[in-house]
């Protein structure tokens, strides 16, 4: 989100889904629009408490599109996705070269 706007969101409540607590936050844009959204990442026990402030980045074009502004979080997600992708490439390459046979004919 290279053209995102930074702001602070406040945890209002939690949505309990499948034994996971998803924070419900509210934030105000530069245009004084207020949004109430649920984070897409939950935890059990909850990572945040009601009233906690969370730095976020939202899209200037679509303010409901947001992400947590946390370098640790974004770096962890990036590294996990890279590891999964690299593993898939290696396995498919070994299958293609005939070293392993995961997908039988």
């Amino acid at each position: 989100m290279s053209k995102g706007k930074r702001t602070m969101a406040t945890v209002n409540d939690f949505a309990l889904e499948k034994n996971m607590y998803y924070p419900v936050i509210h934030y105000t844009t530069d245009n004084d629009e207020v949004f109430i959204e649920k984070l897409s990442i939950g935890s059990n026990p909850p990572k945040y408490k009601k009233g906690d402030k969370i730095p976020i980045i939202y899209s200037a074009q679509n303010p409901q599109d947001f992400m947590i502004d946390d370098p640790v979080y974004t770096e962890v997600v990036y590294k996990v996705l890279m590891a999964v992708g690299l593993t898939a490439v290696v396995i498919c390459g070994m299958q293609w070269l005939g070293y392993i046979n995961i997908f039988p004919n």
Side-chain angles (χ1 to χ4, degrees):
M1 206 175 291
S2 62
K3 295 183 182 181
K5 305 269 187 170
R6 287 181 161 77
T7 191
M8 294 299 286
T10 303
V11 177
N12 284 353
D13 206 352
F14 295 92
L16 180 59
E17 298 174 10
K18 297 182 182 176
N19 206 27
M20 298 289 281
Y21 293 91
Y22 294 85
V24 177
I25 62 170
H26 81 271
Y27 57 96
T28 305
T29 67
D30 288 348
N31 299 331
D32 291 327
E33 296 175 285
V34 176
F35 289 90
I36 298 174
E37 301 291 334
K38 180 182 74 167
L39 292 181
S40 59
I41 298 173
S43 61
N44 190 356
K47 180 177 178 180
Y48 303 103
K49 299 181 303 238
K50 286 184 182 181
D52 280 356
K53 302 287 187 189
I54 302 172
I56 64 166
I57 303 172
Y58 66 88
S59 167
Q61 292 78 26
N62 181 13
Q64 290 178 298
D65 182 18
F66 69 94
M67 62 185 282
I68 297 174
D69 185 13
D70 182 357
V72 173
Y73 167 75
T74 52
E75 196 167 308
V76 168
V77 169
Y78 173 76
K79 287 179 180 178
V80 167
L81 291 176
M82 288 298 291
V84 169
L86 182 60
T87 302
V89 167
V90 168
I91 289 172
C92 289
M94 291 176 70
Q95 170 77 24
W96 182 68
L97 292 172
Y99 290 116
I100 59 175
N101 188 16
I102 293 177
F103 311 110
N105 296 335

